[in-house]
Amino acid sequence: MKLSKESICVQSGHFPYQSHTLPIIPSSTYVFDSAEHGMDIFTNKQKGYIYSRFNNPTVDFAAEKIAALEGFGMDYLPACYLTSSGMSALSTLFLALLKPGDKILSHYSLYGGTDELFHKTLKGLNIDTIIVDFDDLNSVEAALKADSKIAHIHIETPANPTLRCVDIQAVANLAKQYQKKLSVDNTFATPLLQQPLLLGADFVIHSITKYLNGHGTAIGGAVIGKDLEWMDTVFKKAFRLLGGAYNPFEAWLLVNGLKTLPLRLKQHTANAKTLADYLSQHTEIATVNYLGLLDHPYHSIAKKQMEDFGGMMSFELKGGFDAGTKFLNKLQLCVRAVSLGTCDTLISHPASMTHIGVPREERVKYGITDGLIRMSVGIENINDILADFEQALKA
Ligand SMILES: *Cc1c(COP(=O)(O)O)cnc(C)c1O
């Protein structure tokens, strides 16, 4: 029976035991029936397990669910590897793809860690990143034309924390035309709201830590790739040797979290919409940045490639930095914390927290101003969130 994305979240997959819920198999190694059996598994003649840095039955079960969601509507299942964090998903992919001298083409206002990975760690390996404005596809094409060392394009849409969006299909077309690979960080949208592979991307990256786990109980990442041959050879080799494997307990947490992803996203989105409307009309608020607002500069791109606008937003108080910190300190329900995508509403201050490693000039240019407050709107009763805002804004 062909399942919808919502049902895949809840029920897809079979485990060869009678247990109703997913068993956790916490084994580092696996038993071979005979020397020949071991040899067959090592030489890929037979499927099986060898060692949990390579793969694990509980982890594989979870990975297949993510593959089914990102590949929903494709005529085959893409390959998916779960990793110890979103950062290890990114670093494993780029170390598998690139060699010294290659360049990455990307944009400003990426996740802070990705930005530092590009401009510090990869730069140290002589893998440079060229930054252009992806609002202007001519400048993307000009960069591709000008520099044949560009081997890869990486985008994040919606981006963290500015919510700038990139037209995935348009960039995928350029990538194809110039024979480059394209990866998309889909953490903010999740495969329920956006499927980059269907829009022409080659790879999808996730920080599972966020909406997919959904409860803030574990760190994790995923790399999903369309080219099965490449994923099964080059990527698999890098993944095993770099050692960023996921673990069975956290895969089990992920599978449980996924069951409610469709419901959670509906509530995150509905709450964010109501809150964005409320803040838009509030006299103390200078700007509201939510993709669902009709006058948002990226509303139309988001509408074109996303099912809905999600639960992320940011805003700036008229009083700037000082008013912002005062406001944060007055909150009683909303939680002062970085990260996002948990059931609870989380509020953070990018300039002093997640983006502290990004040069000020660079972040301000792309909208991460000193007083910007980022919100991951939770699934609490919206009236309680509004009441918390009301009292904190009054104070
Ligand atoms: C959090 C995040 C990451 C990094 O993921 P970790 O799980 O923290 O390693 C990468 N990209 C985006 C968009 C993120 O929000």
Side-chain angles (χ1 to χ4, degrees):
M1 185 182 162
K2 203 165 160 15
L3 297 178
S4 64
K5 278 203 264 187
E6 288 75 11
S7 299
I8 290 171
C9 286
V10 182
Q11 276 220 17
S12 71
H14 295 284
F15 217 79
Y17 299 98
Q18 272 187 289
S19 162
H20 171 221
T21 59
L22 176 66
I24 301 172
I25 302 200
S27 187
S28 59
T29 193
Y30 300 85
V31 181
F32 308 130
D33 298 337
S34 63
E36 292 75 17
H37 180 217
M39 192 160 75
D40 282 354
I41 295 174
F42 262 99
T43 51
N44 251 342
K45 278 198 194 108
Q46 222 185 105
K47 265 185 100 68
Y49 292 92
I50 297 171
Y51 186 59
S52 280
R53 172 155 49 76
F54 300 176
N55 49 2
N56 166 280
T58 313
V59 173
D60 278 2
F61 184 93
E64 231 172 79
K65 254 187 194 311
I66 303 292
L69 291 171
E70 283 295 350
F72 189 80
M74 283 170 54
D75 52 17
Y76 65 94
L77 201 64
C80 174
Y81 287 75
L82 300 184
T83 58
S84 58
S85 66
M87 287 312 302
S88 85
L90 287 156
S91 58
T92 306
L93 178 64
F94 294 127
L95 290 174
L97 273 171
L98 303 170
K99 58 184 189 311
D102 286 345
K103 293 180 185 175
I104 302 168
L105 184 64
S106 192
H107 53 85
Y108 274 116
S109 95
L110 295 163
Y111 174 70
T114 311
D115 191 278
E116 287 198 73
L117 175 73
F118 284 177
H119 297 291
K120 292 180 181 154
T121 312
L122 292 179
K123 190 171 173 54
L125 300 175
N126 194 22
I127 297 167
D128 284 339
T129 301
I130 297 174
I131 298 292
V132 297
D133 182 356
F134 272 64
D135 287 355
D136 175 11
L137 292 170
N138 291 327
S139 74
V140 176
E141 181 158 19
L144 290 168
K145 262 195 193 132
D147 197 337
S148 62
K149 293 281 190 193
I150 294 173
H152 188 81
I153 306 172
H154 178 73
I155 60 177
E156 192 179 298
T157 180
N160 183 353
T162 58
L163 302 177
R164 291 169 69 99
C165 292
V166 176
D167 185 330
I168 300 171
Q169 198 155 31
V171 174
N173 288 342
L174 278 176
K176 268 195 196 82
Q177 193 184 329
Y178 288 86
Q179 298 181 327
K180 313 295 177 192
K181 297 284 182 212
L182 171 66
S183 54
V184 179
D185 187 326
N186 203 27
T187 298
F188 269 38
T190 81
L192 288 194
L193 300 186
Q194 175 173 279
Q195 286 179 257
L197 297 183
L198 289 187
L199 298 169
D202 300 288
F203 302 100
V204 170
I205 292 284
H206 276 287
S207 168
I208 289 173
T209 316
K210 317 295 168 51
Y211 287 103
L212 298 182
N213 167 295
H215 298 74
T217 50
I219 300 286
V223 179
I224 302 97
K226 243 181 193 171
D227 181 344
L228 299 182
E229 168 75 20
W230 188 84
M231 290 298 286
D232 196 45
T233 51
V234 182
F235 184 84
K236 184 160 90 181
K237 182 60 84 187
F239 170 81
R240 290 179 172 189
L241 294 176
L242 291 168
Y246 207 37
N247 70 72
F249 175 62
E250 293 181 358
W252 180 84
L253 289 173
L254 169 63
V255 166
N256 281 311
L258 280 177
K259 286 182 194 278
T260 55
L261 179 65
L263 294 173
R264 286 188 281 111
L265 278 176
K266 272 191 196 124
Q267 193 64 31
H268 284 299
T269 305
N271 282 356
K273 278 181 182 154
T274 307
L275 191 64
D277 287 338
Y278 163 84
L279 290 172
S280 303
Q281 280 159 27
H282 202 288
T283 51
E284 297 296 322
I285 304 294
T287 55
V288 182
N289 180 12
Y290 182 61
L291 288 172
L293 294 173
L294 294 176
D295 61 354
H296 191 281
Y298 295 94
H299 177 79
S300 59
I301 295 186
K303 202 177 156 97
K304 187 172 93 168
Q305 63 193 16
M306 294 173 70
E307 301 270 329
D308 211 335
F309 303 104
M312 293 303 298
M313 61 157 59
S314 58
F315 60 91
E316 192 156 6
L317 287 143
K318 280 193 180 144
F321 184 83
D322 291 342
T325 49
K326 220 186 240 168
F327 168 76
L328 280 192
N329 288 333
K330 288 283 175 205
L331 290 168
Q332 293 170 12
L333 172 79
C334 302
V335 180
R336 284 173 294 272
V338 298
S339 198
L340 59 111
T342 64
C343 294
D344 320 34
T345 296
L346 302 181
I347 294 207
S348 68
H349 179 223
S352 69
M353 299 172 183
T354 47
H355 285 65
I356 198 160
V358 182
R360 180 173 187 278
E361 190 188 324
E362 218 174 87
R363 70 171 158 75
V364 169
K365 191 165 154 197
Y366 284 87
I368 310 171
T369 49
D370 295 339
L372 188 80
I373 289 175
R374 190 189 77 177
M375 254 189 106
S376 166
V377 182
I379 62 171
E380 302 93 340
N381 185 317
I382 185 61
N383 292 327
D384 295 336
I385 301 175
L386 290 173
D388 196 23
F389 265 66
E390 191 71 27
Q391 65 80 22
L393 285 169
K394 231 180 237 152

